[in-house]
Amino acid sequence: MSVSRWWWLAALGLAVSGCRTTGSAARADGQETPPRQELQFDAVTVTADLELDKLNDEELFAGGTSAFAANDFKQAARYFGRLADFHPDSKHRRAALYNAGLAHQRLKEWEEAGHRFSELSDPAKGTGDALDAAFRVAETQYHLERFDDAVALLGVIAERQDLPLNRRLEAQVQQGICQLEAGRSEEAEKTLRKSLSTYDGLADKDEVDDYFPAQAHFFIGEIYRLHYDDVKLDATRGSDKLAEDLNYKAELLLSAQGHYLRSIRVGNGYWATAAGAQIGALYENLYEHMVNSPAPAELDASEAQVYRQELRKKIRVLLTKSINIYERTLETAERIGSQSTFVDRTRESLAKVKALLLADAEAEPDSTSTPPSADAEPHS
């Protein structure tokens, strides 16, 4: 359906370029009046939607609802926005504001979504749509990378003792994630651990949605994964330093893995598959680092050969660990019917790592046995 537009130009001020003197005039008291100044403002184009101008608030709300149900979010935002802007006394206005925000969110129009939600948002005292809108404002700030603003808003919600625990935990976990995105990893870890301490202290874990504690464990794992990424393996610094860095990197990997495993054990399907994918990726990443790292410069040819042989053994263990984790992750995803980008990525990574393990076995000239099975790894 084409949209009719009504255009007009509104000239603001006097259309004379610059400021200039137009002459002096005598005042009644004999004083000379100051020179008159005339200013030019750029013409402003104002648009109006003639098609929607003919509809009342009931018709606009019905049109927006129908468009949203049909996944036509552009039209939904148009109808709901018109109602919110031109029918301030309508009984549908609050719902229209919220739905307009949702439509803009689906379109990833974060600024517009935040504008709509902010008019409803009340993080300090709101309930119902006012509280939901506050969470939505924080989400738009996250996508706009205004992480500190999101942290402050979510902190207000998290401290509200009048809210159900589930909502407070939701706010606290989201606050920790925004702190991490803002580069404040120590604060993020503290916030996330605080939320988990509350969860662990519950006599009845069913009191809260398992999504949030699983998400908290996952992102603590992400904190340690980022620390792991920061450790670089540089053979030019000598064998002792390389061994020290490799051991530290392995410790950080195990710390990240521990939190990913805790996320899996919470039992939320989405975060279980996400955590499994990350564990496998960590082992795969460490393999890449080790296989591409040159032998330390101080080693002679025979020592470098021994170094490579020992490295090959360690690499094989990493690959079998990665395969084991990937297979278990896919089994879990299949059992619970989970479909996500993490599941797709895990399938691709599993095929890649199996090919690497096979290539490693074929490259070993003295090897007469088959590479160790992923099933040889104990299940944790």
Side-chain angles (χ1 to χ4, degrees):
M1 182 190 327
S2 63
V3 179
S4 301
R5 296 286 182 182
W6 176 31
W7 302 80
W8 78 90
L9 298 180
L12 305 180
L14 299 175
V16 179
S17 178
C19 299
R20 62 183 179 84
T21 301
T22 59
S24 300
R27 293 189 349 190
D29 57 8
Q31 298 286 328
E32 190 177 78
T33 59
R36 186 179 63 166
Q37 294 181 331
E38 296 178 339
L39 305 178
Q40 178 187 20
F41 293 85
D42 291 337
V44 177
T45 301
V46 182
T47 66
D49 195 328
L50 284 182
E51 179 185 354
L52 298 192
D53 187 49
K54 297 179 291 186
L55 304 181
N56 61 33
D57 62 325
E58 294 288 348
E59 293 166 327
L60 288 168
F61 193 75
T65 302
S66 177
F68 199 100
N71 294 326
D72 187 350
F73 302 117
K74 203 76 177 175
Q75 281 286 77
R78 177 178 163 235
Y79 276 81
F80 287 131
R82 175 76 185 189
L83 193 161
D85 292 338
F86 289 88
H87 298 273
D89 298 324
S90 172
K91 65 180 182 180
H92 297 300
R93 186 171 187 273
R94 290 183 67 84
L97 278 169
Y98 193 88
N99 292 342
L102 287 179
H104 285 300
Q105 268 197 334
R106 298 294 179 88
L107 295 166
K108 300 188 186 308
E109 296 171 348
W110 306 113
E111 201 75 69
E112 294 87 344
H115 171 70
R116 294 303 184 184
F117 288 129
S118 62
E119 191 170 342
L120 293 172
S121 171
D122 184 357
K125 298 179 181 179
T127 59
D129 59 3
L131 179 61
D132 291 341
F135 276 102
R136 296 284 182 177
V137 170
E139 184 179 354
T140 62
Q141 290 170 337
Y142 172 88
H143 286 288
L144 291 167
E145 299 185 3
R146 298 169 187 163
F147 302 119
D148 290 336
D149 291 338
V151 167
L153 188 155
L154 291 164
V156 172
I157 300 174
E159 293 299 319
R160 286 181 55 182
Q161 297 304 306
D162 62 310
L163 293 180
L165 179 59
N166 198 59
R167 300 244 74 180
R168 283 184 276 139
L169 276 181
E170 179 183 1
Q172 198 165 47
V173 173
Q174 301 303 325
Q175 182 186 29
I177 294 169
C178 290
Q179 287 169 329
L180 179 59
E181 292 286 358
R184 294 148 54 183
S185 61
E186 289 186 11
E187 290 180 44
E189 184 173 355
K190 182 178 178 180
T191 300
L192 293 170
R193 287 188 183 277
K194 184 178 178 182
S195 72
L196 288 170
S197 177
T198 301
Y199 173 73
D200 291 338
L202 291 175
D204 181 9
K205 297 294 192 293
D206 291 337
E207 186 179 340
V208 299
D209 189 337
D210 61 16
Y211 185 97
F212 304 116
Q215 187 182 33
H217 277 304
F218 179 89
F219 275 93
I220 295 178
E222 286 291 278
I223 290 170
Y224 283 92
R225 182 187 64 79
L226 292 172
H227 292 327
Y228 160 92
D229 284 342
D230 287 339
V231 179
K232 308 302 179 186
L233 301 179
D234 186 357
T236 64
R237 301 172 69 184
S239 57
D240 290 343
K241 181 59 178 172
L242 180 61
E244 179 185 334
D245 289 343
L246 182 56
N247 285 334
Y248 182 48
K249 197 171 184 70
E251 288 175 7
L252 290 170
L253 182 150
L254 292 174
S255 294
Q257 175 185 259
H259 288 287
Y260 289 137
L261 288 173
R262 292 184 185 95
S263 180
I264 292 171
R265 292 180 188 127
V266 171
N268 179 268
Y270 179 84
W271 292 112
T273 54
Q278 291 298 79
I279 294 171
L282 276 171
Y283 283 113
E284 188 180 342
N285 179 269
L286 187 57
Y287 162 83
E288 295 285 352
H289 277 290
M290 293 176 68
V291 79
N292 292 316
S293 177
E298 68 265 29
L299 301 183
D300 59 27
S302 61
E303 291 171 333
Q305 184 177 4
V306 173
Y307 169 84
R308 285 293 174 194
Q309 290 172 347
E310 292 301 311
L311 188 62
R312 183 179 296 277
K313 295 176 185 177
K314 292 183 180 294
I315 286 173
R316 189 170 295 162
V317 171
L318 291 174
L319 291 177
T320 57
K321 281 181 177 288
S322 184
I323 288 173
N324 181 46
I325 294 294
Y326 282 147
E327 288 181 337
R328 289 164 61 190
T329 299
L330 290 174
E331 288 170 4
T332 300
E334 184 176 349
R335 185 172 66 252
I336 64 177
S338 176
Q339 293 293 330
S340 69
T341 55
F342 289 112
V343 176
D344 295 337
R345 195 180 77 189
T346 299
R347 287 197 185 92
E348 295 171 2
S349 296
L350 177 60
K352 175 184 174 183
V353 175
K354 282 184 173 180
L356 289 172
L357 185 60
L358 181 61
D360 179 75
E362 292 174 346
E364 180 62 71
D366 298 328
S367 177
T368 57
S369 60
T370 58
S373 166
D375 292 335
E377 282 297 312
H379 287 201
S380 58

